[in-house]
Amino acid sequence: MTTARTPVPEAARHLGLRERKKLRTRMAIREATYSLIKEQGYEATTVEQIADRAEVSPSTVFRYFPAKEDIVLTDEYDPLLEELLRQRPADEPVLESLRWAFREAMTTALTDNPAHEREETILRA
């Protein structure tokens, strides 16, 4: 299964086996989606194609992502960003907290998967 070959972000290594497997599945689905969108465009990409490429069933895709749009609008670093924001002092200005949390999350994301930034740039083009 593709999910076994998908690396887990360094920030998630403290998770249990079940959670790491779930994360690998999410990442395999997302990687399959990015690849298909790059090849044929967003509109032409179906959930069935995504499932086939990720080696999961369409129902598994929907179990992890309620809609196709959610695959490209979310990522594994959202919980990390939330955790980082909660660590900031309550009296710190919001923009300063956000700036610090985004910087930390991006550092972690690019350290874990430098290709992630290149793929997202391609999708935005």
Side-chain angles (χ1 to χ4, degrees):
M1 182 174 204
T2 301
T3 57
R5 295 187 303 265
T6 305
V8 175
E10 191 64 38
R13 298 223 187 267
H14 69 281
L15 298 173
L17 178 60
R18 181 180 175 145
E19 291 304 313
R20 288 193 315 266
K21 283 184 168 185
K22 285 181 176 181
L23 182 58
R24 281 190 200 104
T25 301
R26 287 179 63 82
M27 292 174 70
I29 292 168
R30 185 169 283 112
E31 289 169 12
T33 303
Y34 288 163
S35 176
L36 286 164
I37 289 172
K38 191 164 41 171
E39 291 170 17
Q40 61 194 27
Y42 178 81
E43 293 297 326
T45 300
T46 67
V47 171
E48 289 74 18
Q49 292 172 323
I50 294 167
D52 186 54
R53 178 81 52 103
E55 298 180 359
V56 298
S57 69
S59 63
T60 298
V61 172
F62 286 120
R63 191 174 310 121
Y64 285 86
F65 301 96
K68 183 173 86 168
E69 296 83 13
D70 293 314
I71 301 171
V72 295
L73 294 177
T74 62
D75 64 30
E76 284 70 38
Y77 298 98
D78 290 349
L80 173 63
L81 185 58
E82 181 180 347
E83 179 183 329
L84 290 168
L85 281 171
R86 291 184 189 281
Q87 292 174 9
R88 301 310 295 167
D91 61 343
E92 183 175 67
V94 174
L95 288 178
E96 190 174 324
S97 294
L98 284 171
R99 191 175 305 120
W100 181 87
F102 281 130
R103 188 177 307 120
E104 291 296 313
M106 288 304 298
T107 298
T108 300
L110 294 175
T111 300
D112 288 346
N113 186 5
H116 181 74
E117 174 65 21
R118 287 192 303 273
E119 286 181 3
E120 292 220 344
T121 301
I122 290 168
L123 289 175
R124 281 181 260 161

